Amino acid sequence: MSLDPQVKKILIEAEALGLPAYQDLSPTEARKQMLDLAPPVEPLLTVNRVENRSIPGPDGEIPLRLYYPAGDPPFATLAYFHGGGWVIGDLDTHHAFCHALAKKSGCLVVSVDYRLAPEHPYPAAVEDAYAATKWVFDNAVAIQADPDRFAVCGDSAGGHLAAVVSMMARDRKGPRIDLQILIYPITDCNFNTPSYKENKEGYMLTRDLMKWFWNLFLEDESQADDPYASPLRADNLSDLPQALIITAEYDPLRDEGEAYGKRLQEAGVKATLSRYPGMIHAFIRMTARLDKASDALDEIAGTLKDVLKIGGNRQ
């Protein structure tokens, strides 16, 4: 279908701001610009209890932010990894979305502030994401989490991390993950798919920006073949958690996300692919502006409730 009218309005407003492209900035400047553009917390999609803490990581402390839903513990739990091409983004850029996710789903959402490139190139983000996931699972009682109802989720680069953490948990014999939710995930270092060609510019995330992200993330091009860098290239995708994969029609990453979902299905994994027509990359965080973002949030929350058996009205 054609570009959604609500998206058109957002793109016109963004162009009018005249901001530089992220790839024309330094990583530090790009991080500030993303934070400045982060959506505010929506009053109706806010939980009452948020806690910050730090945990030991592979190379220093990893900050976490915990969003507690209403209801009685122990809570079904979701480890969340923010987007931003492994270079930009943090706990604050995705603060509003994590509030909304906890509120709508009834999950305890644990947002992970993994190390960013280029200061910390691959595999730093991957190892932090896995370490944080394992810590949440192993310390479930201390944070009022239920280790028997556990999921991972992320958007864009965070979707990549959620997919890879699921693979690492299988390969390293734990933790046990019930569900992976991949929101327009990066799954392959390949800029020649039809969706890259169709949507290479004009829809916020561009082909040039993705090349910039990958160039900063990997220290060597040969690392792109590592299945923990490009999970779509993995030989074995069997024995992985059930998956929900959200994609957007006007997104360069559309095809690789859907290809990954089909590979999961071929490997015998239960995987649902849900493409949102007329949408662009990063639409999920625009629930205040886009009706389909609210629909996608409802789909994610509904899947979490069904798979993790979250009963009652926790909203």
PDB file of all heavy atoms in Angstrom, residues 250-266:
ATOM      1  N   TYR A 250       7.943   0.081   4.468  1.00  0.00           N
ATOM      2  CA  TYR A 250       8.897   1.031   3.895  1.00  0.00           C
ATOM      3  C   TYR A 250      10.175   1.098   4.744  1.00  0.00           C
ATOM      4  O   TYR A 250      10.590   2.156   5.180  1.00  0.00           O
ATOM      5  CB  TYR A 250       8.253   2.416   3.771  1.00  0.00           C
ATOM      6  CG  TYR A 250       7.177   2.480   2.704  1.00  0.00           C
ATOM      7  CD1 TYR A 250       5.869   2.150   3.003  1.00  0.00           C
ATOM      8  CD2 TYR A 250       7.485   2.862   1.401  1.00  0.00           C
ATOM      9  CE1 TYR A 250       4.878   2.192   2.027  1.00  0.00           C
ATOM     10  CE2 TYR A 250       6.506   2.919   0.420  1.00  0.00           C
ATOM     11  CZ  TYR A 250       5.202   2.577   0.738  1.00  0.00           C
ATOM     12  OH  TYR A 250       4.219   2.626  -0.234  1.00  0.00           O
ATOM     13  N   ASP A 251      10.768  -0.054   4.948  1.00  0.00           N
ATOM     14  CA  ASP A 251      11.952  -0.164   5.801  1.00  0.00           C
ATOM     15  C   ASP A 251      13.030  -0.928   5.037  1.00  0.00           C
ATOM     16  O   ASP A 251      12.759  -2.023   4.530  1.00  0.00           O
ATOM     17  CB  ASP A 251      11.584  -0.912   7.088  1.00  0.00           C
ATOM     18  CG  ASP A 251      12.723  -1.043   8.086  1.00  0.00           C
ATOM     19  OD1 ASP A 251      13.857  -0.617   7.777  1.00  0.00           O
ATOM     20  OD2 ASP A 251      12.469  -1.574   9.181  1.00  0.00           O
ATOM     21  N   PRO A 252      14.247  -0.396   4.951  1.00  0.00           N
ATOM     22  CA  PRO A 252      15.319  -1.163   4.314  1.00  0.00           C
ATOM     23  C   PRO A 252      15.528  -2.549   4.928  1.00  0.00           C
ATOM     24  O   PRO A 252      15.969  -3.476   4.247  1.00  0.00           O
ATOM     25  CB  PRO A 252      16.565  -0.283   4.519  1.00  0.00           C
ATOM     26  CG  PRO A 252      16.038   1.088   4.724  1.00  0.00           C
ATOM     27  CD  PRO A 252      14.718   0.922   5.403  1.00  0.00           C
ATOM     28  N   LEU A 253      15.200  -2.713   6.199  1.00  0.00           N
ATOM     29  CA  LEU A 253      15.435  -3.972   6.896  1.00  0.00           C
ATOM     30  C   LEU A 253      14.291  -4.975   6.750  1.00  0.00           C
ATOM     31  O   LEU A 253      14.373  -6.087   7.281  1.00  0.00           O
ATOM     32  CB  LEU A 253      15.661  -3.710   8.391  1.00  0.00           C
ATOM     33  CG  LEU A 253      16.781  -2.730   8.767  1.00  0.00           C
ATOM     34  CD1 LEU A 253      16.929  -2.664  10.277  1.00  0.00           C
ATOM     35  CD2 LEU A 253      18.100  -3.120   8.118  1.00  0.00           C
ATOM     36  N   ARG A 254      13.250  -4.595   6.026  1.00  0.00           N
ATOM     37  CA  ARG A 254      12.057  -5.454   5.920  1.00  0.00           C
ATOM     38  C   ARG A 254      12.396  -6.876   5.468  1.00  0.00           C
ATOM     39  O   ARG A 254      12.005  -7.864   6.104  1.00  0.00           O
ATOM     40  CB  ARG A 254      11.078  -4.825   4.925  1.00  0.00           C
ATOM     41  CG  ARG A 254       9.765  -5.599   4.732  1.00  0.00           C
ATOM     42  CD  ARG A 254       9.051  -5.092   3.485  1.00  0.00           C
ATOM     43  NE  ARG A 254       9.779  -5.454   2.267  1.00  0.00           N
ATOM     44  CZ  ARG A 254       9.764  -4.727   1.149  1.00  0.00           C
ATOM     45  NH1 ARG A 254       9.111  -3.576   1.104  1.00  0.00           N
ATOM     46  NH2 ARG A 254      10.432  -5.149   0.082  1.00  0.00           N
ATOM     47  N   ASP A 255      13.142  -6.994   4.383  1.00  0.00           N
ATOM     48  CA  ASP A 255      13.353  -8.318   3.790  1.00  0.00           C
ATOM     49  C   ASP A 255      14.206  -9.228   4.648  1.00  0.00           C
ATOM     50  O   ASP A 255      13.937 -10.432   4.753  1.00  0.00           O
ATOM     51  CB  ASP A 255      13.980  -8.169   2.399  1.00  0.00           C
ATOM     52  CG  ASP A 255      13.024  -7.560   1.381  1.00  0.00           C
ATOM     53  OD1 ASP A 255      11.827  -7.421   1.702  1.00  0.00           O
ATOM     54  OD2 ASP A 255      13.478  -7.211   0.280  1.00  0.00           O
ATOM     55  N   GLU A 256      15.242  -8.684   5.296  1.00  0.00           N
ATOM     56  CA  GLU A 256      16.094  -9.550   6.104  1.00  0.00           C
ATOM     57  C   GLU A 256      15.368 -10.027   7.363  1.00  0.00           C
ATOM     58  O   GLU A 256      15.577 -11.161   7.811  1.00  0.00           O
ATOM     59  CB  GLU A 256      17.408  -8.868   6.456  1.00  0.00           C
ATOM     60  CG  GLU A 256      17.303  -7.639   7.339  1.00  0.00           C
ATOM     61  CD  GLU A 256      18.601  -6.837   7.348  1.00  0.00           C
ATOM     62  OE1 GLU A 256      18.860  -6.125   6.361  1.00  0.00           O
ATOM     63  OE2 GLU A 256      19.341  -6.943   8.342  1.00  0.00           O
ATOM     64  N   GLY A 257      14.483  -9.193   7.908  1.00  0.00           N
ATOM     65  CA  GLY A 257      13.688  -9.635   9.045  1.00  0.00           C
ATOM     66  C   GLY A 257      12.743 -10.757   8.659  1.00  0.00           C
ATOM     67  O   GLY A 257      12.609 -11.765   9.378  1.00  0.00           O
ATOM     68  N   GLU A 258      12.085 -10.611   7.503  1.00  0.00           N
ATOM     69  CA  GLU A 258      11.145 -11.638   7.051  1.00  0.00           C
ATOM     70  C   GLU A 258      11.874 -12.903   6.603  1.00  0.00           C
ATOM     71  O   GLU A 258      11.390 -14.016   6.827  1.00  0.00           O
ATOM     72  CB  GLU A 258      10.270 -11.060   5.946  1.00  0.00           C
ATOM     73  CG  GLU A 258       9.350  -9.959   6.482  1.00  0.00           C
ATOM     74  CD  GLU A 258       8.535  -9.259   5.417  1.00  0.00           C
ATOM     75  OE1 GLU A 258       8.656  -9.598   4.222  1.00  0.00           O
ATOM     76  OE2 GLU A 258       7.751  -8.348   5.787  1.00  0.00           O
ATOM     77  N   ALA A 259      13.051 -12.736   6.007  1.00  0.00           N
ATOM     78  CA  ALA A 259      13.848 -13.907   5.625  1.00  0.00           C
ATOM     79  C   ALA A 259      14.255 -14.707   6.856  1.00  0.00           C
ATOM     80  O   ALA A 259      14.264 -15.948   6.843  1.00  0.00           O
ATOM     81  CB  ALA A 259      15.077 -13.469   4.837  1.00  0.00           C
ATOM     82  N   TYR A 260      14.597 -13.988   7.942  1.00  0.00           N
ATOM     83  CA  TYR A 260      14.977 -14.681   9.171  1.00  0.00           C
ATOM     84  C   TYR A 260      13.782 -15.456   9.731  1.00  0.00           C
ATOM     85  O   TYR A 260      13.928 -16.602  10.177  1.00  0.00           O
ATOM     86  CB  TYR A 260      15.497 -13.679  10.199  1.00  0.00           C
ATOM     87  CG  TYR A 260      16.126 -14.330  11.402  1.00  0.00           C
ATOM     88  CD1 TYR A 260      17.336 -15.009  11.290  1.00  0.00           C
ATOM     89  CD2 TYR A 260      15.511 -14.290  12.657  1.00  0.00           C
ATOM     90  CE1 TYR A 260      17.926 -15.617  12.392  1.00  0.00           C
ATOM     91  CE2 TYR A 260      16.092 -14.902  13.757  1.00  0.00           C
ATOM     92  CZ  TYR A 260      17.301 -15.560  13.620  1.00  0.00           C
ATOM     93  OH  TYR A 260      17.878 -16.179  14.714  1.00  0.00           O
ATOM     94  N   GLY A 261      12.604 -14.848   9.699  1.00  0.00           N
ATOM     95  CA  GLY A 261      11.415 -15.540  10.167  1.00  0.00           C
ATOM     96  C   GLY A 261      11.137 -16.804   9.370  1.00  0.00           C
ATOM     97  O   GLY A 261      10.782 -17.852   9.936  1.00  0.00           O
ATOM     98  N   LYS A 262      11.319 -16.746   8.064  1.00  0.00           N
ATOM     99  CA  LYS A 262      11.092 -17.928   7.225  1.00  0.00           C
ATOM    100  C   LYS A 262      12.126 -19.004   7.493  1.00  0.00           C
ATOM    101  O   LYS A 262      11.815 -20.201   7.504  1.00  0.00           O
ATOM    102  CB  LYS A 262      11.094 -17.510   5.754  1.00  0.00           C
ATOM    103  CG  LYS A 262       9.868 -16.679   5.377  1.00  0.00           C
ATOM    104  CD  LYS A 262       9.975 -16.093   3.983  1.00  0.00           C
ATOM    105  CE  LYS A 262       8.776 -15.179   3.692  1.00  0.00           C
ATOM    106  NZ  LYS A 262       8.909 -14.473   2.396  1.00  0.00           N
ATOM    107  N   ARG A 263      13.380 -18.580   7.737  1.00  0.00           N
ATOM    108  CA  ARG A 263      14.414 -19.558   8.097  1.00  0.00           C
ATOM    109  C   ARG A 263      14.067 -20.249   9.415  1.00  0.00           C
ATOM    110  O   ARG A 263      14.272 -21.460   9.552  1.00  0.00           O
ATOM    111  CB  ARG A 263      15.778 -18.867   8.224  1.00  0.00           C
ATOM    112  CG  ARG A 263      16.479 -18.488   6.928  1.00  0.00           C
ATOM    113  CD  ARG A 263      17.209 -19.669   6.276  1.00  0.00           C
ATOM    114  NE  ARG A 263      17.920 -20.531   7.195  1.00  0.00           N
ATOM    115  CZ  ARG A 263      19.148 -20.309   7.696  1.00  0.00           C
ATOM    116  NH1 ARG A 263      19.819 -19.208   7.337  1.00  0.00           N
ATOM    117  NH2 ARG A 263      19.718 -21.164   8.507  1.00  0.00           N
ATOM    118  N   LEU A 264      13.551 -19.482  10.378  1.00  0.00           N
ATOM    119  CA  LEU A 264      13.125 -20.093  11.644  1.00  0.00           C
ATOM    120  C   LEU A 264      12.028 -21.122  11.393  1.00  0.00           C
ATOM    121  O   LEU A 264      12.075 -22.237  11.934  1.00  0.00           O
ATOM    122  CB  LEU A 264      12.627 -19.020  12.615  1.00  0.00           C
ATOM    123  CG  LEU A 264      13.672 -18.091  13.236  1.00  0.00           C
ATOM    124  CD1 LEU A 264      12.984 -17.008  14.059  1.00  0.00           C
ATOM    125  CD2 LEU A 264      14.668 -18.851  14.111  1.00  0.00           C
ATOM    126  N   GLN A 265      11.051 -20.759  10.585  1.00  0.00           N
ATOM    127  CA  GLN A 265       9.957 -21.688  10.284  1.00  0.00           C
ATOM    128  C   GLN A 265      10.473 -22.958   9.628  1.00  0.00           C
ATOM    129  O   GLN A 265      10.054 -24.069   9.971  1.00  0.00           O
ATOM    130  CB  GLN A 265       8.928 -20.998   9.381  1.00  0.00           C
ATOM    131  CG  GLN A 265       8.159 -19.881  10.071  1.00  0.00           C
ATOM    132  CD  GLN A 265       7.304 -19.066   9.114  1.00  0.00           C
ATOM    133  OE1 GLN A 265       7.502 -19.103   7.892  1.00  0.00           O
ATOM    134  NE2 GLN A 265       6.351 -18.324   9.645  1.00  0.00           N
ATOM    135  N   GLU A 266      11.401 -22.801   8.680  1.00  0.00           N
ATOM    136  CA  GLU A 266      11.976 -23.960   7.986  1.00  0.00           C
ATOM    137  C   GLU A 266      12.749 -24.857   8.951  1.00  0.00           C
ATOM    138  O   GLU A 266      12.854 -26.065   8.727  1.00  0.00           O
ATOM    139  CB  GLU A 266      12.895 -23.491   6.855  1.00  0.00           C
ATOM    140  CG  GLU A 266      12.158 -22.832   5.703  1.00  0.00           C
ATOM    141  CD  GLU A 266      13.084 -22.071   4.768  1.00  0.00           C
ATOM    142  OE1 GLU A 266      14.312 -22.042   5.041  1.00  0.00           O
ATOM    143  OE2 GLU A 266      12.591 -21.493   3.782  1.00  0.00           O
TER     144      GLU A 266
END
